Amino acid sequence: MIWVDGIATPTLPADDRGLQYGDGLFETMRVVTGRVPLLERHLARLNAGCGRLALPAPEPAALRSEIAAACAGHNDAVLKLVVTRGSGGRGYRAPPGPRTRRVVSLYPRREWQCEPVSASIRARTCLTRLAIGGPLVGLKHLNRLEQVLARSEWQDDTIAEGLMLDAEGMIVAGTMTNLFLVIDGALQTPALDRCGVAGIARSMVLELAAELDLQVAQRRITVSALGDADEIFVCNSVVGVRPLSELDGRALATAPLTARVRAALSSRGLAA
Amino acid sequence: MIWVDGIATPTLPADDRGLQYGDGLFETMRVVTGRVPLLERHLARLNAGCGRLALPAPEPAALRSEIAAACAGHNDAVLKLVVTRGSGGRGYRAPPGPRTRRVVSLYPRREWQCEPVSASIRARTCLTRLAIGGPLVGLKHLNRLEQVLARSEWQDDTIAEGLMLDAEGMIVAGTMTNLFLVIDGALQTPALDRCGVAGIARSMVLELAAELDLQVAQRRITVSALGDADEIFVCNSVVGVRPLSELDGRALATAPLTARVRAALSSRGLAA
């Protein structure tokens, strides 16, 4: 099902700036028993992104009402919200009073997303690199062709995620997840100051690390650091926290610290 | 007017991957007396881009017929062709047999585009930077949010173009044009090995430079080199070649070499 500006319809105007230029943002949210557990965090990130793009944020009441209507009666689903700068303008130049357009779609969760959250996943490292710098760093914007190309690198359904490096060879994230390493009992995650998306689940892990007495460092992480990691996990709002059981054919052992993080996140309402 | 897969319609499916991920390419073409003078070059670039994205190229006969129908009877217009990976797939992963979607739209030319091609333009330097590296370098793809943000930096209608630097401060291009400098009687243009779009007009200027006995270098160009330039011009398929009369308030003198390049391009059918 898809709703455009609150109306159930399978189409939207072909002059939408989201299509023409990728001029917009999105949020992908887990739906559990008819509601989005992390809705406030998603809406806060969306509003912050709208601020950075000078995109008028969607009217909150209308947006909440549309999301609630879309979720109603669904026990386990994924809701995607796309927000664009609407129609019009002359080339890249936006129209003087842009009318933000909302596109809400509801999907079933996919196979590996539905496995028990304790289930570890197999992952690989992608050849497709992420460009460095520019004004979009950290945003969950609609310019996602790099991720599409990375995801096209493998067809093996038993591999759930691919890790991406930046153009200088530093580890950044999975195609649809953020990434943490456990090394000597402490957490490390790539700094997102040059590329990548600042994920909701990632921000929750960072917040909870202190409560769990875990040190956490945001830093540049080399490929060789992956080899030093005792545990590696990926996370997002839809799958929660998932340890890697294998990366590029190398088996990774059990993940006790990842399990602690997962339990803490579940207690805070993260989809699990 | 907009045609989607050859059918005149103002809408397209809301699950189109062009909207959801920017998963596609585009061409912006000048229309003169009912036809696109540089059609073969545009289609060749489109096909090359489809190859890089593993996107099935549109069926040539259907595409040519749609473009011809859209142009018919229009003396002076702009035709935009968007090609996307169509609907479907699971997240970033494309569907197994993607059906490429074509979106053709026809627009009037805008003010500064319609001025005599000899008319010089005022330009400014943008603060918005271009990210460096990754798999999209040189492609005319749909991920254009950097250009949208750059174009939002000014509202003065007498400024026609903004120049963009990359994340390391090197000059790359205009928001919608490529860029050439004339220094000591030779041409210089930014190398497009780290970001930017390899434009049709740019490639024609490069080809003609030899015939005009002009040296041309593709290289990294610093901001200070702009100050050393005797002439600066921008180019694309819609506006042809346009010398800058002013950059960031600095007046630039007459542009005799730019005029030679312009004349040579006009004789090859570049929109002028």
Side-chain angles (χ1 to χ4, degrees), chain A residues 80-141:
Chain A
K80 182 172 178 182
L81 166 66
V82 172
V83 166
T84 79
R85 209 181 303 267
S87 292
R90 295 170 165 176
Y92 295 131
R93 187 178 190 178
R99 291 180 56 117
T100 302
R101 183 168 286 134
R102 311 174 299 277
V103 182
V104 170
S105 19
L106 195 78
Y107 301 97
R109 285 214 301 162
R110 301 195 293 271
E111 302 85 59
W112 75 275
Q113 297 174 347
C114 295
E115 290 158 8
V117 76
S118 59
S120 57
I121 62 168
R122 299 176 66 213
R124 70 194 299 282
T125 305
C126 296
L127 298 172
T128 303
R129 300 291 183 95
L130 295 163
I132 292 176
L136 306 179
V137 173
L139 287 175
K140 203 164 174 75
H141 56 72

Side-chain angles (χ1 to χ4, degrees), chain B residues 76-148:
Chain B
D76 188 7
V78 176
L79 186 142
K80 182 173 178 182
L81 166 65
V82 172
V83 166
T84 79
R85 210 181 302 266
S87 291
R90 294 172 165 175
Y92 296 131
R93 187 178 190 179
R99 291 180 56 115
T100 301
R101 183 168 285 134
R102 312 175 299 278
V103 182
V104 170
S105 19
L106 195 77
Y107 301 97
R109 285 213 300 163
R110 301 194 294 272
E111 302 85 59
W112 76 276
Q113 297 175 344
C114 296
E115 291 160 7
V117 76
S118 60
S120 57
I121 62 168
R122 299 175 67 213
R124 72 195 298 283
T125 305
C126 295
L127 297 171
T128 304
R129 300 291 183 94
L130 294 162
I132 292 175
L136 306 179
V137 174
L139 287 175
K140 202 163 175 78
H141 56 73
L142 293 178
N143 287 197
R144 298 262 79 100
L145 197 38
E146 292 174 330
Q147 282 75 21
V148 168

Side-chain angles (χ1 to χ4, degrees), chain B residues 15-206:
Chain B
D15 63 357
D16 188 87
R17 296 177 61 88
L19 170 72
Q20 298 288 335
Y21 311 114
D23 191 2
L25 298 163
F26 72 109
E27 294 287 332
T28 307
M29 313 181 210
R30 174 88 189 272
V31 177
V32 182
T33 58
R35 51 184 289 279
V36 175
L38 302 177
L39 182 61
E40 297 312 314
R41 286 176 184 259
H42 284 290
L43 295 182
R45 178 172 65 175
L46 178 69
N47 282 336
C50 285
R52 280 181 57 187
L53 298 185
L55 178 66
E59 203 277 300
L63 185 57
R64 285 171 189 278
S65 149
E66 284 165 30
I67 291 172
C71 295
H74 291 275
N75 272 329
D76 188 7
V78 176
L79 186 142
K80 182 173 178 182
L81 166 65
V82 172
V83 166
T84 79
R85 210 181 302 266
S87 291
R90 294 172 165 175
Y92 296 131
R93 187 178 190 179
R99 291 180 56 115
T100 301
R101 183 168 285 134
R102 312 175 299 278
V103 182
V104 170
S105 19
L106 195 77
Y107 301 97
R109 285 213 300 163
R110 301 194 294 272
E111 302 85 59
W112 76 276
Q113 297 175 344
C114 296
E115 291 160 7
V117 76
S118 60
S120 57
I121 62 168
R122 299 175 67 213
R124 72 195 298 283
T125 305
C126 295
L127 297 171
T128 304
R129 300 291 183 94
L130 294 162
I132 292 175
L136 306 179
V137 174
L139 287 175
K140 202 163 175 78
H141 56 73
L142 293 178
N143 287 197
R144 298 262 79 100
L145 197 38
E146 292 174 330
Q147 282 75 21
V148 168
L149 292 178
R151 185 58 190 83
S152 75
E153 291 184 30
W154 79 96
Q155 298 299 324
D156 178 349
D157 289 332
T158 70
I159 295 180
E161 181 58 304
L163 306 188
M164 297 185 71
L165 316 185
D166 68 25
E168 293 181 357
M170 297 291 140
I171 297 280
V172 179
T175 62
M176 54 184 275
T177 57
N178 286 115
L179 175 77
F180 284 83
L181 280 60
V182 179
I183 298 180
D184 296 333
L187 295 178
Q188 297 188 7
T189 193
L192 300 182
D193 56 336
R194 306 198 304 176
C195 49
V197 175
I200 298 288
R202 178 182 186 272
S203 69
M204 293 183 75
V205 171
L206 293 174

